[in-house]
Amino acid sequence: MKKYFFIVCFLCFCHHFVAQKIINNPDCVANNISGSVTKIELTDKETILHLHIRGNLGGWIAIPKETYIENSGDGEKRLYITKTEGITLTGRNYFTNSDEKRFKLYFPPLPKEIKQINYGESNVGGNWFIYKLDLTKDGKNFITKNNKPFVIGNPMPDKITITKTNNKNLDIKTLNTSDLPKDFFGNWYDKYGTLLMITTPDYIVSDNRIKYYLNIEKIGTHKYKILTTSNAIEILSLDDETITIRTNRLLSLHKKKNKQKVPDFIKGKWTHWDGVKEITITDDYFYNNDKDYHGAYRETIKNKIDWIASSDNKEIFWFVLYHQGDYNIYFIKKINDEYVLQPRGFADAKYIKN
C-alpha cells in the first residue's frame, strides 16, 4: 500500500513539474492565418500551439517542415517544428467533412523569460505568420494610448465583455472549461423530449452545429457567459437536472446523462443513394468508404464515435465523430418509417441501411 501511494505521489509530482504554463486564447499584434491560436502549452520538454483554422470544403492547408517559432524581436535562433497532432506534417490536409480543423503543433521548449514569440513558415510560395504572440496574458504589450488593444490584420476572436454593475459581491472572472460545474455537461431536452443541446468539456452541440469554447466568464452564483465559435450562451440558472439559458431565445431544459451505446439496428453497412459510397457503423467507429467522392479520399476514413444521444422517441440520433483533429456531426432520422443517415451540412448525402 505504501509503495502504491509513493508511485501515485511521484506521478503527480512529475505531471506538475512538466506542465509549467498554459495560455488560453493568447493575443497577438498581427497575423495572416485564417483562424486563431486557441492555447499555448509551455513545458520543460516542449512548446505546443493549439490552432483552430477555417477553410472551404474541398480546399486544403499544409504545415511545412520549415515551420518555426522564435523569440520576438531578439533575433534568436529559430525553433523548428518537431511533430504534429490532428494534421499531417508537409502534405496537403483537405477540408472534407468540415470547414474547420483543430490541431496541435509541437516545438522545442522556450526559455522561461520569453514573453512574446513570432510564428512563421520558411516556405517558398507563401507563409503564414503570427507577429508577437503574447505568452504573459497580462495584455501589457498590446495596449495603446487610448487603453485599447493594438491588433491589426486578422485578429484573434473577441472575448465576451460584461458591463460592470454596482453589485460589489458579483464575482466576474475568466474560466477554463474545467472550471464549469459538472452539472453543465450532458444531454439537454425540452419538455417534449426533443434533444436540443449536448455539452461536453471539448465542445457544445446545438442548432445542428458543433461549437467550440472561446471564453467563459462567471457572472454570479450558477450564472455564466460562454462565448463559442458560433454564438454567445448565457446560463441564467443551473442545477443537476435543469438549466435555463439565453442565446437568441430563452430556453429551460432538463438533463439526461449520456449512457447510450450504438443500438444494434444501427450497426452495419449504410449505402448512399448513388449506390457507390458506403458507411459501416460499429460500436466505436464510422468507416466512411467515400473513394469516389470528388476524388477527395484515397482510402477508408475511420471516424471515432465520440458522443451518442437521441430524442426520447428514438426518431433521431445524434453522433459526434472525431477524426484527425476534426469533430463532425451525423444524424440518423426516421423518415416515413425508415431510418436515414445524413452528415451535417450535406443535404443530398443520404444513406440507407442495407
Side-chain angles (χ1 to χ4, degrees):
M1 182 68 183
K2 289 182 178 180
K3 183 178 180 181
Y4 175 79
F5 178 76
F6 173 78
I7 293 173
V8 171
C9 292
F10 177 76
L11 291 175
C12 291
F13 170 79
C14 290
H15 175 75
H16 177 73
F17 179 75
V18 172
Q20 287 185 333
K21 186 177 182 180
I22 294 178
I23 304 101
N24 290 297
N25 302 315
D27 296 314
C28 74
V29 168
N31 75 77
N32 69 346
I33 70 173
S34 58
S36 64
V37 177
T38 60
K39 182 165 66 174
I40 301 175
E41 296 181 62
L42 303 174
T43 78
D44 292 330
K45 295 184 177 180
E46 57 196 359
T47 303
I48 308 172
L49 270 59
H50 297 241
L51 277 79
H52 174 213
I53 301 299
R54 291 189 175 276
N56 297 318
L57 292 177
W60 59 271
I61 59 175
I63 306 297
K65 62 181 180 180
E66 300 86 358
T67 300
Y68 66 88
I69 56 175
E70 63 182 1
N71 187 9
S72 179
D74 288 352
E76 292 190 3
K77 183 179 178 181
R78 290 176 173 176
L79 303 176
Y80 287 95
I81 193 166
T82 57
K83 65 177 182 178
T84 59
E85 182 179 332
I87 195 170
T88 59
L89 188 59
T90 66
R92 293 187 178 188
N93 295 266
Y94 287 90
F95 292 91
T96 52
N97 294 327
S98 173
D99 60 357
E100 58 189 356
K101 288 185 177 295
R102 302 174 76 89
F103 52 89
K104 302 178 187 178
L105 306 181
Y106 290 76
F107 300 87
L110 286 165
K112 295 181 181 180
E113 66 273 10
I114 292 181
K115 296 182 179 180
Q116 298 174 339
I117 59 172
N118 298 331
Y119 168 95
E121 301 172 358
S122 302
N123 186 39
V124 177
N127 300 315
W128 275 355
F129 76 88
I130 305 174
Y131 180 57
K132 289 191 175 181
L133 193 59
D134 186 23
L135 304 182
T136 66
K137 201 55 181 174
D138 59 12
K140 292 180 181 179
N141 300 316
F142 305 95
I143 301 299
T144 65
K145 294 180 180 179
N146 296 326
N147 203 33
K148 294 182 179 180
F150 176 70
V151 180
I152 60 176
N154 182 19
M156 298 296 158
D158 293 330
K159 298 179 176 62
I160 294 177
T161 55
I162 301 176
T163 304
K164 293 183 178 179
T165 69
N166 294 324
N167 185 356
K168 297 181 179 180
N169 297 321
L170 189 61
D171 180 22
I172 299 178
K173 62 180 181 179
T174 300
L175 306 174
N176 297 316
T177 53
S178 59
D179 297 312
L180 284 170
K182 292 182 179 179
D183 291 338
F184 176 64
F185 303 120
N187 303 329
W188 295 95
Y189 298 77
D190 65 11
K191 62 181 180 180
Y192 303 106
T194 304
L195 178 64
L196 294 183
M197 184 170 67
I198 295 172
T199 50
T200 81
D202 297 313
Y203 52 80
I204 295 173
V205 183
S206 65
D207 304 320
N208 294 337
R209 295 180 64 89
I210 292 181
K211 307 172 183 181
Y212 299 101
Y213 299 91
L214 292 178
N215 196 67
I216 304 167
E217 292 185 345
K218 185 175 182 180
I219 57 175
T221 304
H222 305 306
K223 295 183 178 181
Y224 300 84
K225 277 195 173 181
I226 301 173
L227 179 64
T228 75
T229 50
S230 178
N231 64 346
I233 300 172
E234 186 174 0
I235 301 175
L236 303 178
S237 66
L238 173 68
D239 57 41
D240 60 346
E241 293 183 353
T242 60
I243 190 173
T244 301
I245 61 172
R246 177 164 51 207
T247 53
N248 57 339
R249 54 178 175 159
L250 191 65
L251 289 173
S252 293
L253 307 174
H254 66 275
K255 186 176 71 173
K256 293 185 178 180
K257 293 182 179 179
N258 192 61
K259 296 181 179 180
Q260 198 160 336
K261 297 181 180 180
V262 180
D264 289 337
F265 77 88
I266 286 178
K267 298 175 190 176
K269 187 176 292 184
W270 296 70
T271 303
H272 191 270
W273 61 267
D274 63 9
V276 177
K277 295 184 286 294
E278 295 177 345
I279 294 177
T280 301
I281 301 177
T282 67
D283 286 318
D284 300 307
Y285 293 95
F286 274 43
Y287 292 89
N288 295 57
N289 183 9
D290 287 356
K291 293 181 180 179
D292 294 335
Y293 181 63
H294 301 308
Y297 299 141
R298 303 296 182 187
E299 58 186 8
T300 298
I301 305 299
K302 183 179 179 182
N303 297 280
K304 174 70 175 177
I305 299 174
D306 188 74
W307 200 274
I308 308 171
S310 69
S311 62
D312 281 356
N313 59 15
K314 307 298 182 183
E315 291 193 353
I316 182 169
F317 291 81
W318 296 13
F319 290 85
V320 180
L321 308 182
Y322 176 83
H323 176 69
Q324 292 188 353
D326 289 333
Y327 288 97
N328 300 293
I329 313 173
Y330 278 67
F331 301 101
I332 294 182
K333 304 177 183 179
K334 195 171 186 180
I335 302 175
N336 297 327
D337 294 326
E338 184 177 37
Y339 282 100
V340 176
L341 170 64
Q342 188 172 9
R344 185 257 171 196
F346 296 88
D348 295 330
K350 296 179 181 179
Y351 296 76
I352 304 299
K353 182 74 184 302
N354 289 8

